Amino acid sequence: MSPPSDLTPRRVLRILRPAAAVCGLILVILMLGPFHGLERLFGLADGPAHVIAFFWITTGLFAVAPGWRRNDIALGAVLIAVMIETLQAITGRSLSLLELAADGAGIVVAMVPGWIERLRHLARTCPDASFAEIRAADRRGRGEEPEEEGLEVTALLRAPATRLRRRRKDRR
């Protein structure tokens, strides 16, 4: 019998997060630096290169932030795309709405497997319920008022960790 593995999801994330940060920094340098046209060396036009880049950016964010909702991560990726296009305009390169659309296409392509998996889950757990019934039963859409009047940014950053601690307490 082989010894138990010391590999845990937490350890994998400890490796993935710095690696993702380095990859993100490299992508930002490539997109903002004087490397315009570099994608042609790989046989890609500018649009497909943006689709591929933002597919991997979004997929990487999904991997390193498992406690965050996919839609929130996708919105963050859209924000990154808008910031990069704006910074390209500031640094002397052209601002292109077509490139921004290609970035969005890459984000959508990264979202599709999650949508399909959600549909598969619903088909297994409640195949005869209408989507309106499923939405009414969804605990996330009840519209409970937050305790504080304003939601701080730090509360948003701590939210995934807080949910994880609550889950651990519930198991005990």
Side-chain angles (χ1 to χ4, degrees), residues 136-159:
D138 190 359
R139 64 179 167 74
R140 295 173 295 175
R142 297 214 175 125
E144 291 139 5
E145 293 295 321
E147 294 175 11
E148 299 175 355
E149 190 168 306
L151 187 61
E152 297 179 23
V153 173
T154 55
L156 290 174
L157 294 175
R158 279 187 270 136

Side-chain angles (χ1 to χ4, degrees), residues 6-140:
D6 289 338
L7 191 62
T8 63
R10 185 182 308 242
R11 287 192 177 149
V12 170
L13 286 175
R14 283 186 189 153
I15 295 166
L16 281 179
R17 286 182 175 141
V22 169
C23 290
L25 182 63
I26 290 170
L27 275 173
V28 167
I29 290 170
L30 288 174
M31 289 183 177
L32 296 177
F35 306 106
H36 191 64
L38 183 65
E39 65 274 356
R40 289 189 197 110
L41 293 175
F42 299 101
L44 293 172
D46 201 28
H50 277 261
V51 171
I52 292 168
F54 272 87
F55 168 80
W56 285 112
I57 287 171
T58 308
T59 303
L61 289 172
F62 288 157
V64 300
W68 290 50
R69 296 182 301 188
R70 286 187 302 263
N71 290 342
D72 293 343
I73 292 172
L75 287 175
V78 169
L79 185 64
I80 291 169
V82 170
M83 288 185 339
I84 285 177
E85 287 301 319
T86 304
L87 288 173
Q88 281 182 348
I90 291 171
T91 59
R93 291 177 58 182
S94 64
L95 177 109
S96 171
L97 293 178
L98 289 176
E99 287 180 2
L100 191 59
D103 298 342
I107 294 166
V108 168
V109 169
M111 293 284 293
V112 167
W115 294 334
I116 292 171
E117 186 54 37
R118 180 69 181 155
L119 181 62
R120 290 173 44 122
H121 170 74
L122 292 174
R124 285 190 307 268
T125 58
C126 44
D128 297 324
S130 71
F131 286 113
E133 293 168 337
I134 292 169
R135 179 169 285 274
D138 190 359
R139 64 179 167 74
R140 295 173 295 175

